[in-house]
Amino acid sequence: MKKADKHQKILVAATKVFGSKGFFSARISDIAKEAKVADGTIYLYFHNKYDILLTLFEEEIAKLIVDIKAALAQEEDPRRKLYIFALHHLKLVIEKKELAEVLQMELRQSSDSVKEYRITKFVDYVNIISGIIHQGQKSGIFRPELKPGIIKRAFFGALDEMSRLWILNSDHSYTVDDTADEISSIFLNGISLPT
Amino acid sequence: MKKADKHQKILVAATKVFGSKGFFSARISDIAKEAKVADGTIYLYFHNKYDILLTLFEEEIAKLIVDIKAALAQEEDPRRKLYIFALHHLKLVIEKKELAEVLQMELRQSSDSVKEYRITKFVDYVNIISGIIHQGQKSGIFRPELKPGIIKRAFFGALDEMSRLWILNSDHSYTVDDTADEISSIFLNGISLPT
DNA sequence: GAGCGAAATGAATAGAAATTCATTCTTATG
DNA sequence: CATAAGAATGAATTTCTATTCATTTCGCTC
Protein backbone atom coordinates (compact mmCIF):
# COMPACT_ATOMS: atom_id res chain seq x y z
CA MET A 1 0.00 0.00 0.00
CA LYS A 2 1.33 3.39 -0.98
CA LYS A 3 2.05 5.98 1.65
CA ALA A 4 -0.61 8.38 0.45
CA ASP A 5 -3.20 5.63 0.67
CA LYS A 6 -2.56 5.01 4.31
CA HIS A 7 -2.68 8.70 5.09
CA GLN A 8 -6.08 8.78 3.41
CA LYS A 9 -7.22 5.59 5.07
CA ILE A 10 -6.48 7.02 8.49
CA LEU A 11 -8.28 10.25 7.65
CA VAL A 12 -11.35 8.36 6.53
CA ALA A 13 -11.31 6.30 9.68
CA ALA A 14 -10.84 9.40 11.80
CA THR A 15 -13.74 11.12 10.09
CA LYS A 16 -15.92 8.19 10.94
CA VAL A 17 -14.82 8.00 14.55
CA PHE A 18 -14.82 11.75 15.22
CA GLY A 19 -18.21 11.92 13.58
CA SER A 20 -19.73 9.33 15.80
CA LYS A 21 -18.08 10.06 19.14
CA GLY A 22 -16.79 13.60 18.82
CA PHE A 23 -13.17 14.62 18.93
CA PHE A 24 -12.61 14.29 22.65
CA SER A 25 -14.31 10.97 23.18
CA ALA A 26 -12.61 9.46 20.17
CA ARG A 27 -9.63 7.30 21.10
CA ILE A 28 -6.56 6.99 18.94
CA SER A 29 -7.01 3.27 19.31
CA ASP A 30 -10.55 3.57 17.93
CA ILE A 31 -9.21 5.29 14.86
CA ALA A 32 -6.42 2.76 14.52
CA LYS A 33 -8.84 -0.11 14.74
CA GLU A 34 -11.19 1.47 12.24
CA ALA A 35 -8.30 2.05 9.83
CA LYS A 36 -6.93 -1.43 10.51
CA VAL A 37 -3.48 -0.18 11.50
CA ALA A 38 -1.55 -0.20 14.75
CA ASP A 39 -1.85 2.73 17.13
CA GLY A 40 1.74 3.68 16.50
CA THR A 41 1.28 3.79 12.76
CA ILE A 42 -0.93 6.82 13.10
CA TYR A 43 2.00 8.76 14.43
CA LEU A 44 3.99 8.05 11.31
CA TYR A 45 1.43 10.05 9.37
CA PHE A 46 0.23 12.68 11.84
CA HIS A 47 1.94 14.61 14.59
CA ASN A 48 -0.80 14.02 17.11
CA LYS A 49 -4.50 13.54 17.56
CA TYR A 50 -5.22 17.17 17.04
CA ASP A 51 -3.27 17.25 13.82
CA ILE A 52 -5.62 14.64 12.43
CA LEU A 53 -8.56 16.93 13.00
CA LEU A 54 -6.80 19.91 11.49
CA THR A 55 -5.82 17.98 8.41
CA LEU A 56 -9.39 16.86 8.04
CA PHE A 57 -10.52 20.45 7.99
CA GLU A 58 -7.79 21.62 5.75
CA GLU A 59 -8.20 18.97 3.10
CA GLU A 60 -11.92 18.39 3.15
CA ILE A 61 -13.47 21.81 3.64
CA ALA A 62 -11.28 23.28 0.95
CA LYS A 63 -12.69 20.69 -1.43
CA LEU A 64 -16.25 21.63 -0.51
CA ILE A 65 -15.68 25.26 -1.27
CA VAL A 66 -14.17 24.50 -4.65
CA ASP A 67 -17.07 22.18 -5.43
CA ILE A 68 -19.83 24.58 -4.64
CA LYS A 69 -18.16 27.48 -6.39
CA ALA A 70 -17.90 25.38 -9.51
CA ALA A 71 -21.58 24.52 -9.36
CA LEU A 72 -22.52 28.17 -8.96
CA ALA A 73 -20.32 29.35 -11.80
CA GLN A 74 -22.75 27.71 -14.23
CA GLU A 75 -25.53 30.08 -13.30
CA GLU A 76 -26.26 33.82 -13.60
CA ASP A 77 -29.63 34.41 -11.95
CA PRO A 78 -29.15 35.03 -8.20
CA ARG A 79 -32.50 33.43 -7.45
CA ARG A 80 -31.34 30.22 -9.10
CA LYS A 81 -27.97 30.53 -7.43
CA LEU A 82 -29.54 30.58 -4.01
CA TYR A 83 -31.45 27.44 -4.82
CA ILE A 84 -28.36 25.73 -6.16
CA PHE A 85 -26.41 26.59 -3.05
CA ALA A 86 -29.10 25.03 -0.89
CA LEU A 87 -29.33 21.92 -2.99
CA HIS A 88 -25.60 21.48 -3.18
CA HIS A 89 -25.07 22.01 0.51
CA LEU A 90 -27.74 19.54 1.51
CA LYS A 91 -26.52 16.96 -0.98
CA LEU A 92 -23.06 17.17 0.48
CA VAL A 93 -24.45 16.57 3.93
CA ILE A 94 -26.07 13.38 2.74
CA GLU A 95 -23.18 12.16 0.63
CA LYS A 96 -20.50 12.90 3.18
CA LYS A 97 -22.48 12.21 6.28
CA GLU A 98 -19.48 11.51 8.48
CA LEU A 99 -17.67 14.64 7.47
CA ALA A 100 -20.82 16.65 8.02
CA GLU A 101 -21.04 15.24 11.52
CA VAL A 102 -17.53 16.32 12.30
CA LEU A 103 -18.25 19.81 11.00
CA GLN A 104 -21.49 20.08 12.91
CA MET A 105 -19.76 19.32 16.13
CA GLU A 106 -16.35 20.77 15.84
CA LEU A 107 -17.32 24.08 14.29
CA ARG A 108 -19.13 24.84 17.50
CA GLN A 109 -16.34 24.00 19.86
CA SER A 110 -14.64 27.11 21.18
CA SER A 111 -11.18 25.67 21.44
CA ASP A 112 -9.40 28.99 20.97
CA SER A 113 -6.39 28.24 18.83
CA VAL A 114 -8.30 26.26 16.23
CA LYS A 115 -11.21 28.60 16.29
CA GLU A 116 -9.25 31.09 14.25
CA TYR A 117 -8.44 28.69 11.53
CA ARG A 118 -11.80 27.03 11.37
CA ILE A 119 -13.61 30.32 11.26
CA THR A 120 -11.52 31.58 8.36
CA LYS A 121 -12.48 28.65 6.18
CA PHE A 122 -16.01 28.77 7.41
CA VAL A 123 -16.46 32.45 6.70
CA ASP A 124 -15.27 31.89 3.14
CA TYR A 125 -17.99 29.36 2.69
CA VAL A 126 -20.82 31.38 4.19
CA ASN A 127 -19.72 34.49 2.34
CA ILE A 128 -20.62 32.79 -0.88
CA ILE A 129 -24.20 33.38 0.21
CA SER A 130 -23.81 37.05 0.98
CA GLY A 131 -22.17 37.43 -2.43
CA ILE A 132 -25.31 36.06 -4.05
CA ILE A 133 -27.56 38.32 -2.00
CA HIS A 134 -25.49 41.34 -2.84
CA GLN A 135 -25.61 40.54 -6.52
CA GLY A 136 -29.38 40.18 -6.34
CA GLN A 137 -29.77 43.50 -4.59
CA LYS A 138 -27.59 45.27 -7.13
CA SER A 139 -29.67 43.98 -9.99
CA GLY A 140 -32.89 45.03 -8.29
CA ILE A 141 -34.29 41.56 -7.63
CA PHE A 142 -33.90 41.42 -3.86
CA ARG A 143 -35.17 43.94 -1.33
CA PRO A 144 -32.35 46.47 -0.93
CA GLU A 145 -33.03 47.29 2.71
CA LEU A 146 -32.20 43.78 3.92
CA LYS A 147 -28.74 43.23 5.36
CA PRO A 148 -26.74 40.55 3.50
CA GLY A 149 -24.83 39.91 6.72
CA ILE A 150 -27.99 38.78 8.45
CA ILE A 151 -29.52 36.98 5.49
CA LYS A 152 -26.45 34.89 4.84
CA ARG A 153 -26.52 33.71 8.43
CA ALA A 154 -30.23 33.08 8.40
CA PHE A 155 -30.03 31.12 5.19
CA PHE A 156 -27.02 29.11 6.20
CA GLY A 157 -28.51 28.53 9.62
CA ALA A 158 -31.70 27.18 8.09
CA LEU A 159 -29.76 24.70 5.97
CA ASP A 160 -27.47 23.76 8.79
CA GLU A 161 -30.32 23.07 11.10
CA MET A 162 -31.82 20.67 8.59
CA SER A 163 -28.46 18.94 8.48
CA ARG A 164 -28.50 18.57 12.19
CA LEU A 165 -31.89 16.97 11.99
CA TRP A 166 -30.59 14.46 9.50
CA ILE A 167 -27.35 13.82 11.25
CA LEU A 168 -28.22 13.60 14.91
CA ASN A 169 -31.45 11.78 14.49
CA SER A 170 -31.51 9.58 11.45
CA ASP A 171 -34.62 11.33 10.34
CA HIS A 172 -35.35 11.28 6.65
CA SER A 173 -38.93 12.43 6.59
CA TYR A 174 -37.91 15.05 4.06
CA THR A 175 -35.93 14.53 0.89
CA VAL A 176 -33.00 16.67 -0.08
CA ASP A 177 -34.89 18.11 -3.03
CA ASP A 178 -38.02 18.96 -1.07
CA THR A 179 -35.98 20.60 1.62
CA ALA A 180 -33.88 22.64 -0.79
CA ASP A 181 -37.04 23.69 -2.60
CA GLU A 182 -38.89 24.67 0.48
CA ILE A 183 -36.10 26.56 2.18
CA SER A 184 -35.07 28.49 -0.88
CA SER A 185 -38.70 29.16 -1.67
CA ILE A 186 -39.31 30.67 1.75
CA PHE A 187 -36.25 32.82 1.47
CA LEU A 188 -36.86 33.88 -2.10
CA ASN A 189 -40.39 34.92 -1.23
CA GLY A 190 -39.04 36.57 1.86
CA ILE A 191 -36.33 38.62 0.29
CA SER A 192 -37.57 39.33 -3.23
CA LEU A 193 -39.11 42.62 -4.24
CA PRO A 194 -42.77 42.36 -5.21
CA THR A 195 -43.03 42.19 -8.97
CA MET B 1 -24.11 29.53 53.20
CA LYS B 2 -27.12 27.32 52.64
CA LYS B 3 -26.73 24.06 50.79
CA ALA B 4 -28.90 25.16 47.89
CA ASP B 5 -26.79 28.25 47.43
CA LYS B 6 -23.62 26.28 46.97
CA HIS B 7 -25.28 23.94 44.52
CA GLN B 8 -26.31 26.99 42.54
CA LYS B 9 -22.92 28.63 42.89
CA ILE B 10 -21.22 25.58 41.43
CA LEU B 11 -23.70 25.42 38.56
CA VAL B 12 -23.10 29.06 37.73
CA ALA B 13 -19.37 28.52 37.79
CA ALA B 14 -19.69 25.42 35.66
CA THR B 15 -21.80 27.26 33.12
CA LYS B 16 -19.11 29.87 32.84
CA VAL B 17 -16.29 27.36 32.50
CA PHE B 18 -18.10 24.96 30.17
CA GLY B 19 -19.15 27.94 28.11
CA SER B 20 -15.66 29.22 27.64
CA LYS B 21 -13.69 25.98 27.29
CA GLY B 22 -16.25 23.38 26.36
CA PHE B 23 -17.17 20.40 28.48
CA PHE B 24 -14.15 18.25 27.76
CA SER B 25 -11.49 20.91 28.15
CA ALA B 26 -13.06 22.18 31.34
CA ARG B 27 -11.29 20.92 34.46
CA ILE B 28 -13.07 20.19 37.69
CA SER B 29 -10.41 22.32 39.32
CA ASP B 30 -11.34 25.20 36.99
CA ILE B 31 -14.91 24.98 38.12
CA ALA B 32 -13.87 24.69 41.74
CA LYS B 33 -11.68 27.74 41.47
CA GLU B 34 -14.39 29.74 39.69
CA ALA B 35 -16.89 28.76 42.38
CA LYS B 36 -14.35 29.39 45.14
CA VAL B 37 -14.70 25.96 46.65
CA ALA B 38 -12.36 23.00 46.97
CA ASP B 39 -12.29 20.37 44.26
CA GLY B 40 -13.72 17.81 46.61
CA THR B 41 -16.65 20.00 47.53
CA ILE B 42 -18.05 19.64 44.07
CA TYR B 43 -18.50 15.94 44.69
CA LEU B 44 -20.68 16.66 47.68
CA TYR B 45 -23.19 18.25 45.31
CA PHE B 46 -22.77 16.33 42.09
CA HIS B 47 -21.97 12.72 41.32
CA ASN B 48 -19.38 13.55 38.69
CA LYS B 49 -18.40 16.00 36.04
CA TYR B 50 -20.99 14.74 33.67
CA ASP B 51 -23.73 15.10 36.23
CA ILE B 52 -22.97 18.80 36.43
CA LEU B 53 -23.66 19.17 32.73
CA LEU B 54 -26.86 17.18 32.93
CA THR B 55 -28.15 19.20 35.84
CA LEU B 56 -27.38 22.36 33.92
CA PHE B 57 -29.54 21.18 31.08
CA GLU B 58 -32.29 19.94 33.27
CA GLU B 59 -32.63 23.04 35.39
CA GLU B 60 -31.85 25.77 32.91
CA ILE B 61 -33.50 24.68 29.70
CA ALA B 62 -36.68 23.90 31.52
CA LYS B 63 -36.70 27.51 32.72
CA LEU B 64 -36.23 28.82 29.19
CA ILE B 65 -39.19 26.87 27.91
CA VAL B 66 -41.43 28.13 30.67
CA ASP B 67 -40.25 31.70 30.02
CA ILE B 68 -40.90 31.74 26.35
CA LYS B 69 -44.24 30.03 26.65
CA ALA B 70 -45.32 32.70 29.11
CA ALA B 71 -44.27 35.44 26.71
CA LEU B 72 -46.21 33.84 23.88
CA ALA B 73 -49.33 33.33 25.92
CA GLN B 74 -49.92 37.11 25.82
CA GLU B 75 -50.45 37.08 22.09
CA GLU B 76 -52.97 35.68 19.65
CA ASP B 77 -51.78 36.60 16.15
CA PRO B 78 -49.37 33.95 14.85
CA ARG B 79 -47.44 36.57 12.89
CA ARG B 80 -46.77 38.50 16.10
CA LYS B 81 -46.02 35.25 17.90
CA LEU B 82 -43.28 34.39 15.48
CA TYR B 83 -41.71 37.76 16.01
CA ILE B 84 -41.94 37.44 19.76
CA PHE B 85 -40.31 34.04 19.66
CA ALA B 86 -37.41 35.46 17.70
CA LEU B 87 -37.00 38.44 19.95
CA HIS B 88 -37.24 36.40 23.10
CA HIS B 89 -34.83 33.78 21.91
CA LEU B 90 -32.21 36.30 20.88
CA LYS B 91 -32.61 38.27 24.09
CA LEU B 92 -31.97 35.14 26.08
CA VAL B 93 -28.80 34.51 24.14
CA ILE B 94 -27.52 37.94 25.07
CA GLU B 95 -28.68 37.88 28.67
CA LYS B 96 -27.48 34.39 29.43
CA LYS B 97 -24.46 34.37 27.23
CA GLU B 98 -22.66 31.65 29.14
CA LEU B 99 -25.60 29.31 29.11
CA ALA B 100 -26.11 29.97 25.42
CA GLU B 101 -22.50 29.01 24.80
CA VAL B 102 -22.95 25.73 26.59
CA LEU B 103 -26.07 24.99 24.59
CA GLN B 104 -24.45 25.92 21.29
CA MET B 105 -21.65 23.50 21.91
CA GLU B 106 -23.11 20.68 23.83
CA LEU B 107 -26.32 20.31 21.89
CA ARG B 108 -24.22 19.32 18.92
CA GLN B 109 -22.16 16.71 20.65
CA SER B 110 -23.30 13.23 19.79
CA SER B 111 -22.52 11.59 23.07
CA ASP B 112 -25.09 8.85 22.73
CA SER B 113 -26.60 8.48 26.18
CA VAL B 114 -27.11 12.19 26.73
CA LYS B 115 -28.27 12.76 23.23
CA GLU B 116 -31.59 11.20 24.11
CA TYR B 117 -32.23 13.47 26.98
CA ARG B 118 -31.01 16.64 25.37
CA ILE B 119 -33.01 16.04 22.26
CA THR B 120 -36.21 15.57 24.19
CA LYS B 121 -35.92 18.96 25.84
CA PHE B 122 -34.71 20.52 22.66
CA VAL B 123 -37.56 19.19 20.59
CA ASP B 124 -40.03 20.65 23.07
CA TYR B 125 -38.50 24.02 22.53
CA VAL B 126 -38.37 23.92 18.76
CA ASN B 127 -41.87 22.52 18.57
CA ILE B 128 -43.15 25.77 19.97
CA ILE B 129 -42.37 27.16 16.52
CA SER B 130 -44.17 24.49 14.57
CA GLY B 131 -47.16 25.07 16.82
CA ILE B 132 -47.22 28.70 15.75
CA ILE B 133 -46.88 27.79 12.08
CA HIS B 134 -49.64 25.27 12.33
CA GLN B 135 -51.95 27.78 13.97
CA GLY B 136 -51.20 30.28 11.22
CA GLN B 137 -51.97 27.77 8.53
CA LYS B 138 -55.23 26.77 10.14
CA SER B 139 -56.39 30.37 10.27
CA GLY B 140 -55.45 30.93 6.63
CA ILE B 141 -52.60 33.37 7.21
CA PHE B 142 -49.68 31.15 6.24
CA ARG B 143 -49.23 29.24 2.99
CA PRO B 144 -50.82 25.85 3.63
CA GLU B 145 -48.49 23.87 1.39
CA LEU B 146 -45.40 24.59 3.49
CA LYS B 147 -44.30 21.93 5.91
CA PRO B 148 -44.21 23.10 9.53
CA GLY B 149 -41.53 20.48 10.18
CA ILE B 150 -39.17 22.20 7.80
CA ILE B 151 -40.12 25.76 8.65
CA LYS B 152 -39.58 25.29 12.34
CA ARG B 153 -36.09 24.05 11.65
CA ALA B 154 -35.34 26.78 9.18
CA PHE B 155 -36.58 29.46 11.53
CA PHE B 156 -34.81 28.09 14.55
CA GLY B 157 -31.67 27.53 12.52
CA ALA B 158 -31.67 31.12 11.37
CA LEU B 159 -31.91 32.38 14.93
CA ASP B 160 -29.38 29.92 16.18
CA GLU B 161 -26.88 30.88 13.56
CA MET B 162 -27.11 34.50 14.61
CA SER B 163 -26.46 33.37 18.15
CA ARG B 164 -23.37 31.56 17.02
CA LEU B 165 -22.15 34.72 15.38
CA TRP B 166 -22.59 36.62 18.63
CA ILE B 167 -21.17 33.92 20.82
CA LEU B 168 -18.17 32.60 19.00
CA ASN B 169 -16.98 35.90 17.70
CA SER B 170 -17.93 38.78 19.90
CA ASP B 171 -19.56 40.43 16.97
CA HIS B 172 -22.27 42.90 17.72
CA SER B 173 -22.70 44.59 14.39
CA TYR B 174 -26.40 43.88 14.63
CA THR B 175 -28.69 44.61 17.55
CA VAL B 176 -31.09 42.08 18.98
CA ASP B 177 -34.06 44.09 17.80
CA ASP B 178 -32.80 44.59 14.27
CA THR B 179 -32.00 40.93 13.98
CA ALA B 180 -35.34 39.77 15.32
CA ASP B 181 -37.09 42.21 12.99
CA GLU B 182 -35.17 41.18 9.95
CA ILE B 183 -35.35 37.46 10.46
CA SER B 184 -39.02 37.39 11.29
CA SER B 185 -39.71 39.78 8.43
CA ILE B 186 -37.99 37.48 5.93
CA PHE B 187 -39.88 34.50 7.22
CA LEU B 188 -43.23 36.23 7.44
CA ASN B 189 -42.87 37.46 3.88
CA GLY B 190 -41.70 34.05 2.90
CA ILE B 191 -44.48 32.02 4.43
CA SER B 192 -47.50 34.31 4.35
CA LEU B 193 -50.22 34.05 1.75
CA PRO B 194 -50.45 37.06 -0.55
CA THR B 195 -53.16 39.37 0.67
C1' DG C 1 17.59 -15.92 -0.68
C1' DA C 2 20.74 -12.63 1.82
C1' DG C 3 20.91 -8.12 3.21
C1' DC C 4 19.23 -3.55 3.79
C1' DG C 5 16.29 0.42 4.63
C1' DA C 6 11.73 1.71 5.31
C1' DA C 7 7.35 0.88 7.44
C1' DA C 8 4.58 -1.04 10.90
C1' DT C 9 3.71 -2.90 15.34
C1' DG C 10 1.90 -2.77 20.09
C1' DA C 11 3.54 -3.10 24.81
C1' DA C 12 5.47 0.17 27.95
C1' DT C 13 5.65 4.98 29.54
C1' DA C 14 4.34 9.26 31.06
C1' DG C 15 1.25 12.81 32.11
C1' DA C 16 -2.98 14.66 33.03
C1' DA C 17 -7.10 15.00 35.61
C1' DA C 18 -11.24 12.85 37.82
C1' DT C 19 -12.38 11.11 42.07
C1' DT C 20 -11.63 9.71 46.97
C1' DC C 21 -11.08 10.19 51.81
C1' DA C 22 -8.55 11.13 56.18
C1' DT C 23 -8.39 15.31 58.32
C1' DT C 24 -9.84 19.97 59.62
C1' DC C 25 -13.17 23.53 60.13
C1' DT C 26 -18.15 25.35 61.09
C1' DT C 27 -22.30 25.59 63.08
C1' DA C 28 -26.01 24.49 66.03
C1' DT C 29 -27.45 22.89 70.48
C1' DG C 30 -27.71 22.10 75.36
C1' DC D 1 -18.35 26.91 76.08
C1' DA D 2 -18.17 21.84 75.20
C1' DT D 3 -19.47 18.80 71.82
C1' DA D 4 -21.15 16.46 67.99
C1' DA D 5 -22.94 16.36 63.32
C1' DG D 6 -22.40 18.15 59.04
C1' DA D 7 -19.50 20.59 55.53
C1' DA D 8 -15.45 21.53 53.39
C1' DT D 9 -10.76 20.77 52.24
C1' DG D 10 -6.95 19.38 49.16
C1' DA D 11 -3.25 16.00 48.95
C1' DA D 12 -3.03 11.30 47.53
C1' DT D 13 -4.84 7.79 44.59
C1' DT D 14 -6.61 5.88 40.57
C1' DT D 15 -7.80 5.78 36.00
C1' DC D 16 -7.39 6.62 31.47
C1' DT D 17 -5.13 7.25 27.12
C1' DA D 18 -1.90 9.87 24.02
C1' DT D 19 2.50 9.13 22.69
C1' DT D 20 7.02 6.71 22.35
C1' DC D 21 10.32 3.38 20.88
C1' DA D 22 12.62 -1.21 20.88
C1' DT D 23 11.52 -4.84 18.06
C1' DT D 24 9.57 -7.12 14.01
C1' DT D 25 7.92 -7.44 9.40
C1' DC D 26 7.93 -6.04 4.63
C1' DG D 27 9.54 -5.07 -0.01
C1' DC D 28 13.31 -4.54 -2.88
C1' DT D 29 17.76 -5.23 -5.15
C1' DC D 30 21.50 -7.88 -6.41
Side-chain angles (χ1 to χ4, degrees), chain A residues 20 24-25 105 108 110 115 143 146-147 149 153 157 161-162 164-165 168 174 182 185-186 189-190, chain B residues 20 24-25 105 108 110 115 143 146-147 149 153 157 161-162 164-165 168 174 182 185-186 189-190:
Chain A
S20 89
F24 288 105
S25 301
M105 282 189 281
R108 268 75 177 194
S110 69
K115 219 165 96 174
R143 289 157 60 193
L146 296 175
K147 302 175 187 67
R153 290 281 170 170
E161 183 66 24
M162 288 306 300
R164 176 157 66 222
L165 179 66
L168 290 189
Y174 308 110
E182 185 136 347
S185 147
I186 294 170
N189 273 308
Chain B
S20 88
F24 288 104
S25 300
M105 283 189 281
R108 269 74 177 193
S110 70
K115 220 165 94 173
R143 289 157 59 193
L146 296 175
K147 303 174 186 68
R153 290 279 168 171
E161 184 65 24
M162 289 305 300
R164 174 157 66 219
L165 179 66
L168 289 189
Y174 308 109
E182 186 137 347
S185 149
I186 293 169
N189 272 309

Side-chain angles (χ1 to χ4, degrees), chain A residues 119-172:
Chain A
I119 281 174
T120 306
K121 283 280 172 201
F122 188 57
V123 163
D124 284 353
Y125 187 71
V126 180
N127 275 346
I128 295 175
I129 304 173
S130 45
I132 299 174
I133 303 299
H134 192 69
Q135 188 203 335
Q137 288 181 321
K138 259 203 324 205
S139 45
I141 304 177
F142 296 154
R143 289 157 60 193
E145 78 277 15
L146 296 175
K147 302 175 187 67
I150 292 184
I151 300 178
K152 78 174 172 192
R153 290 281 170 170
F155 189 67
F156 177 79
L159 294 175
D160 192 51
E161 183 66 24
M162 288 306 300
S163 314
R164 176 157 66 222
L165 179 66
W166 285 335
I167 286 170
L168 290 189
N169 320 348
S170 307
D171 189 326
H172 277 98

